[in-house]
Amino acid sequence: MDNDHTSIADVKLPGNQGKEVRLRGWIYRTRGSNRMLFIVLRDSTDIIQCVGSRDDLGEVVFDTARALNIESSISVHGKLNQDSRAPGGYELHLSAVEPVSPAERFPITKDQSEEFLRDNRHLWLRSRKMNAVLKVRSTVTGAIHDFFRSRGYYEFTPPILTPNAAEGGSTLFEVKYYDRKIYMTQTWQLYAEAAIFSLERIYDVSPTFRAEKSKTSRHLSEFWMAEMEAAWMGYREAIEVANQEIKFIIARVLERNRSELEILEADASRLEPLLSREWPVITYTEALEILKEKKMEVTWGKDLRTIEEEALMENFDTPVTVIQYPKEAMAFYKPVEENANAPGPVAKCFDMLAPEGYGEIIGGSERDTDISSISKALEKEGEKVENYDWYLDLRRYGSVQHSGYGVGVERLIAWICKLENIKDAIPFPRTLTRVTP
Ligand code: 4AD
Ligand code: MG
């Protein structure tokens, strides 16, 4: 805050009874009579109730202030008064109200549809809900940087425009690139695999694009993925890092965002017990057995669908890592796990599933280092092996065991904040049916 103005969060600290302060912000709610005026003022930090009388403010100021619409920007002056009924414990007794810019009638009123609110996302960002989500989001991405940096990982920034597919051709967004066609990135992975031969341990938090053709509450066309890649690391160790990372993020949110979780009605007591518990690791084959007990038969070899993941997670109240999915159903870069107890070939790979029906929040694996098996798998996916020649170089010049994974940032935020729809975990969602505002 500048010298003149205090933030609402700061004035709400204990011991401010009777202090004179100047605040600025936007009118969140307003009501009044001919003699008294009540303004709930909001700034980025919080809201506070302000009360003014015609006598204290004078005729002209009172009538001007009373005529202001919600979302008008104002500056106010007054004395803090402790009031146990007021949210946060203080009320401001106004001695001055100065309009900065009076608002036109605000289009968002009570009880509007989710779609209307998303059509007006540029204005709805001001809501207490979006304000709270965006604060948690800032904590989450900040925690990811802190987690990896404090463990000696380097931040590595991948290209967004790429000629290669890594997660299958069907979700690629094509871009006209001068006179040729290329794609928006689906994952940093292939470039990360090149970079670990220089930096060994790297991470990023970066935009990711997938042309998802179905409308769900979990898929965005543009989302952020937080990925890591590490040389000299097997997938079992990567799973341990992933568990530590998610616990680190949750601990940070619990430390910094209690009041935001409250605003979102995302009870912190759902998250607290997770920190001290072990999170289970089960195999895909074991997952099918659990599903069978629930009368859900999945043919061995098929990837798990959303409904199957949901049914599986009914048995757990922590995140669960499912390992060793069938090799056939997996992307070309996932190697075979030779020592598995399974009816067919499985991959050294894993997904982390969140509880409470939030589904897959992490996908990861060890990376195949065998040129011929990668080439075969690429051909099977219908890719031209020669397009991946640079990637195969990484196996030709000093190849080492390496692993990595990607966290779906919005999936994680949706779970932590208990959001009904992933679209509210990102400021301006892009989906099959929405690219505005
Ligand atoms: O499981 P995915 O496809 O894994 C990869 O892309 C690997 N190359 C990552 C790696 O090993 N470096 O995606 C990772 C995560 C998913 O678990 C999910 O949480 C999220 O990204 N995700 C999406 N989130 C929102 N909208 C979508 N359309 C998403 N697709 C994947
Ligand atoms: Mg996946």
Side-chain angles (χ1 to χ4, degrees), residues 57-326:
L57 290 170
E59 299 288 325
V60 177
V61 173
F62 185 89
D63 287 331
T64 311
R66 235 194 108 190
L68 290 172
N69 286 322
I70 60 164
E71 292 307 323
S72 295
S73 46
I74 58 173
S75 168
V76 299
H77 182 262
K79 197 187 242 182
L80 288 167
N81 187 35
Q82 222 142 18
D83 181 342
S84 57
R85 289 162 308 172
Y90 288 109
E91 207 172 56
L92 188 73
H93 282 205
L94 294 168
S95 51
V97 178
E98 290 163 30
V100 175
S101 178
E104 294 177 25
R105 188 182 290 276
F106 201 58
I108 300 176
T109 54
K110 265 197 160 173
D111 301 323
Q112 269 157 337
S113 73
E114 293 295 324
E115 276 314 287
F116 180 86
L117 297 178
R118 289 186 193 123
D119 286 340
N120 288 282
R121 187 50 81 79
H122 55 296
L123 300 174
W124 184 239
L125 285 185
R126 309 171 180 204
S127 64
R128 296 209 91 201
K129 174 180 174 177
M130 287 308 301
N131 176 278
V133 172
L134 294 176
K135 284 177 182 169
V136 172
R137 187 179 170 102
S138 174
T139 301
V140 167
T141 51
I144 293 166
H145 287 282
D146 289 348
F147 175 83
F148 283 112
R149 283 168 183 259
S150 66
R151 281 162 180 74
Y153 285 69
Y154 296 98
E155 181 176 1
F156 172 75
T157 50
I160 300 298
L161 296 172
T162 163
N164 297 112
E167 299 298 330
S170 68
T171 65
L172 285 171
F173 272 115
E174 271 180 22
V175 180
K176 186 173 174 303
Y177 189 74
Y178 305 104
D179 52 4
R180 54 182 288 206
K181 265 191 294 193
I182 57 161
Y183 311 106
M184 306 286 280
T185 183
Q186 291 174 310
T187 169
W188 83 333
Q189 187 184 318
L190 306 190
Y191 298 99
E193 287 188 60
I196 51 126
F197 290 89
S198 173
L199 298 170
E200 296 193 29
R201 292 181 174 218
I202 54 175
Y203 80 96
D204 80 333
V205 188
S206 181
T208 306
F209 304 86
R210 296 199 187 172
E212 304 283 359
K213 314 249 171 14
S214 55
K215 282 202 268 179
T216 77
S217 58
R218 313 189 161 158
H219 288 90
L220 293 164
S221 310
E222 176 181 289
F223 62 101
W224 288 63
M225 214 195 306
E227 306 190 75
M228 69 76 93
E229 193 75 28
W232 319 105
M233 191 182 278
Y235 75 111
R236 296 277 190 170
E237 195 185 332
I239 292 170
E240 277 171 38
V241 178
N243 277 267
Q244 287 165 13
E245 180 189 353
I246 302 301
K247 284 183 178 175
F248 183 91
I249 294 168
I250 291 173
R252 187 58 79 73
V253 170
L254 288 171
E255 189 185 302
R256 303 213 174 148
N257 298 108
R258 295 257 166 193
S259 56
E260 283 74 35
L261 293 178
E262 221 165 273
I263 290 167
L264 295 166
E265 294 174 24
D267 203 351
S269 67
R270 302 149 48 235
L271 303 173
E272 280 154 352
L274 301 179
L275 298 180
S276 56
R277 290 175 60 185
E278 278 285 317
W279 298 353
V281 176
I282 63 172
T283 66
Y284 163 88
T285 306
E286 287 163 348
L288 293 204
E289 282 159 19
I290 296 174
L291 289 171
K292 199 169 175 186
E293 281 165 24
K294 295 173 160 284
K295 311 266 178 283
M296 269 186 141
E297 293 272 356
V298 179
T299 313
W300 198 96
K302 289 232 148 69
D303 203 356
L304 296 180
R305 294 174 302 165
T306 302
I307 43 162
E308 287 139 8
E309 284 176 0
E310 272 171 14
L312 175 68
M313 288 308 288
E314 284 167 6
N315 284 28
F316 300 94
D317 56 6
T318 67
V320 174
T321 299
V322 181
I323 60 170
Q324 298 176 355
Y325 285 75

Side-chain angles (χ1 to χ4, degrees), residues 114-115 118 121 130 133 215-220 410 414 419-434:
E114 293 295 324
E115 276 314 287
R118 289 186 193 123
R121 187 50 81 79
M130 287 308 301
V133 172
K215 282 202 268 179
T216 77
S217 58
R218 313 189 161 158
H219 288 90
L220 293 164
E410 289 77 16
L419 303 176
E420 266 170 38
N421 199 305
I422 194 169
K423 294 192 198 92
D424 294 336
I426 189 163
F428 291 98
R430 271 83 181 93
T431 65
L432 184 63
T433 53
R434 175 174 296 285

